Amino acid sequence: MKQTLWMMILCLAFFSACHKADDTGVVNLGIDYYINEDPLVFNTLRYQNEAGNRLMITEIQWFVSRVMLQDKNGEWIPFGAGDNLYYFDTDLPETHHIQSQELPVGHYQAIRFTFGLDEEDNITGRFPNPPESNMFWPVPLGGGYHYMKMNGRWLNEKQELAPFNLHLGTGQNADHTVFYPNHFSVTLPLDLHLEANRKNHLQLTMIIDNWFRTPHTYDLNHFGGAIMQNQEAQQILKENGHDVFSICTQNTRWSDIADPVKAIMGKAAPKPHFYTKENMKELLSHITPKNSH
Amino acid sequence: MKPSLFLFLTVAITMLWTGCKPSEEPTHQPTPYQMPSPLFFPTVTNIPSDNPMTEEGVALGKLLFFDSLLLSTEIKSLRDTPHSSLLSTETKSLRDTPNSSLLSTEIKSLRDTPNSSLSCSSCHHPEHSFEYGPEASPDFLGTHHAMLPLINLAWNTNGFGWNGSVATLEDMVYAAYTDPTEINADTAEVVKRLQQSDTYPTLFEKAFNTKTITFILVEKAIAQYVRSLVFCNSKFDRYLRGETQLSQDELNGYMLFITEEGADCFHCHGGGSNALFTTNLFYNNGLDSEFQDPNDRFAITHDPADRGAYKAPALRNIALTAPYMHDGRFNTLEEVIDFYSDSVQYSEQVSPLMHHVMQGGVQLTEQEKQQLKAFLNTLTDTP
């Protein structure tokens, strides 16, 4: 009898240790890209920006840092433990998703992150290994890392398919004595009910069109193919970046919806109607998710 | 049966079985090899878990890399050297003879003779960053592509060779031994000769705990040696470590190398906080506008965007590794710099990072070309 009792206690202790707590859960954050109201398809000259440049995208590599979720009490909670900064690379599928640390279950009302790396995070040599190390930004130009490399081609004024490198990072003056951090902070409203023991999903969408518009129209014919040493171009992209990102929870993930524009509008949306933090609430109210959980 | 009796019997049987079991302790425990951690090199190495580096493995690999034991009797007598253990010495002396094409003829004839195995050092010369040397165009050697240097490969995590078709250094050793355009050896014959030698079985035992030699162990040993070839003490390294200063021309050349409005070399070739001086990625750098090579990156990925793309080679020791490009078309650094300055070819496949392509290149002045070359020379390291 005594032995049986001990066995029961041991089993109970074992299962208690293995059982996951019900008061925390994790969030999977996926990344995707939209342009001209469609999911981005690489290496195809089918897109047009606000300035009328016809263009294609070949790859996008970028950093996000200081990702925070705001709970219902207004408290900001770090998405990830440790550095809480992330590298995304359209050529590397393993970077298309990130997972949060264990977070308290409950309602989250906003997400905030830094596009790129702020001065505290942007330390030369902090990423010794590829692929992040290939993002280094030369020390004479301010050091640290590219915030983003968006490479592609556009049909220039001579109707040549010319390469462009939209490389964002630390700007500098002409003689490289003054440096300008060009990272920026993004805050987006959220309607996430984080639950334990289920897949909680957020989808962060980069709307590529918006790099080239609002408030400034960015013309590739004007700025050319390379802008690492052009602070004017960097500043414009920084200011255009405020509405480049949108976010949705799993139930309203764009890739779960066969035709998102039609689902929302009933017809093709007129440009520049798109999914921004301003129209997000209205859009969400119209959507009937394909995969509700 | 009472639990206490059961427990006693279990323990007793286990002890008895353990005591009777023959010892599986290795006869020799190899000493782990300490890889250096140079400044701004990656911290992640590409060392397979089934081939950890050891002092004994590296030493054995070095011997195999150079040793003429693998040569045929004919070539030994042909070379007429009393101490033929270091083939590189032989080949060097042969290259120093006025009729330097003799070696190439010799190598080619060896390749055509069954089981007349060459060693790695027949072509990979330390004084040329483990490439052959300036003569070694693919036409000269009869290989698919020009050679790539065998240095700092422990940090290459993205395939080997110009198109990245070889997954590991071990596979590369096998490929080099068996490729008709390289050593063209019968691996069974190589193993037989090693097994019959007086010394190799003991050396394999020290490195791998077995006197039974297999070609897999040959691959492992040579791969270990190649991984140990670390070059991190060039003038530029000493500059990064604050131990020396670059000249003004060298510094200007570095600024050109590292800036987008300069020569913009760094996006593909690293530098600064990527001290390997390569991204180990594949690019079409605008050498041609049409692509015929069946062994480019496209052959591996089948992605049309990869036509005419090749791995960006590491630029360390670049002054020692002529001829340049995958087909060895340029014989000097001046020709390479002239190409990137003025002769880049447009195609739909050219990498977007070649953003100066519409102007034919980065448009350097003669002085800038000299300065860029001066900087590239600071990447030269001594073996």
Side-chain angles (χ1 to χ4, degrees), chain A residues 7 10 23 31 57 59 122 133 139-140 145 171 190 209 230 234 253 273:
Chain A
M7 283 297 284
L10 276 171
D23 53 356
I31 306 294
I57 307 290
E59 60 194 343
N122 200 16
S133 60
V139 170
Y145 294 85
L190 198 60
D209 309 67
N230 184 340
Q234 299 267 329
R253 191 157 45 125
H273 198 110

Side-chain angles (χ1 to χ4, degrees), chain A residues 129 136 138 153 161 165 228-229, chain B residues 43-44 260-261 271 346 350 352:
Chain A
N129 298 305
F136 84 91
R153 306 172 207 276
L161 199 54
N165 302 159
M228 285 180 73
Q229 291 167 262
Chain B
T43 54
V44 173
E260 204 175 36
E261 298 301 326
Y346 177 80
V350 72

Side-chain angles (χ1 to χ4, degrees), chain A residues 101-152:
Chain A
Q101 61 177 329
E102 289 283 343
L103 296 166
V105 297
H107 182 246
Y108 289 85
Q109 57 181 336
I111 184 170
R112 184 178 76 196
F113 58 84
T114 298
F115 170 79
L117 305 164
D118 69 14
E119 291 86 321
E120 200 177 316
D121 283 331
N122 200 16
I123 307 300
T124 297
R126 81 171 294 167
F127 301 111
N129 298 305
E132 293 92 338
S133 60
N134 293 334
M135 294 288 279
F136 84 91
W137 189 269
V139 170
L141 303 186
Y145 294 85
H146 288 69
Y147 305 155
M148 179 174 78
K149 295 180 186 174
M150 183 192 291
N151 298 326

Side-chain angles (χ1 to χ4, degrees), chain A residues 3 58 124-125 128-130 134 136 138 140-141 146 149 151-153 160-163 165 167 176 225-229, chain B residues 3 40-44 255 258-261 266-267 270-271 273-274 279 281 346 348-350 352-355 357-358:
Chain A
Q3 280 177 332
T58 57
T124 297
N129 298 305
N134 293 334
F136 84 91
L141 303 186
H146 288 69
K149 295 180 186 174
N151 298 326
R153 306 172 207 276
E160 301 163 324
L161 199 54
N165 302 159
H167 289 194
H176 304 170
I227 57 163
M228 285 180 73
Q229 291 167 262
Chain B
F40 292 131
F41 272 47
T43 54
V44 173
M255 277 299 288
I258 209 86
T259 53
E260 204 175 36
E261 298 301 326
F266 72 100
H267 274 118
S273 53
N274 171 2
T279 57
L281 298 175
Y346 177 80
E348 287 185 8
Q349 288 80 15
V350 72
L353 292 172
M354 305 295 292
H355 55 86
V357 66
M358 308 318 288

Side-chain angles (χ1 to χ4, degrees), chain A residues 4 15 20 56 62 71 86 91 110 127 157 178 227 245 263 292:
Chain A
T4 313
F15 284 113
K20 210 170 140 188
M56 68 165 76
W62 53 296
D71 69 14
Y86 307 94
D91 291 332
F127 301 111
E157 287 168 315
V178 180
I227 57 163
F245 297 97
S292 299

Side-chain angles (χ1 to χ4, degrees), chain A residues 36-37 50 207 209-210 213-214 243 269-276 279:
Chain A
N36 291 189
E37 298 155 6
E50 190 77 355
I207 304 155
D209 309 67
N210 289 354
R213 66 186 178 199
T214 352
D243 62 352
K271 280 198 281 187
H273 198 110
F274 222 99
Y275 322 114
T276 65
N279 61 14

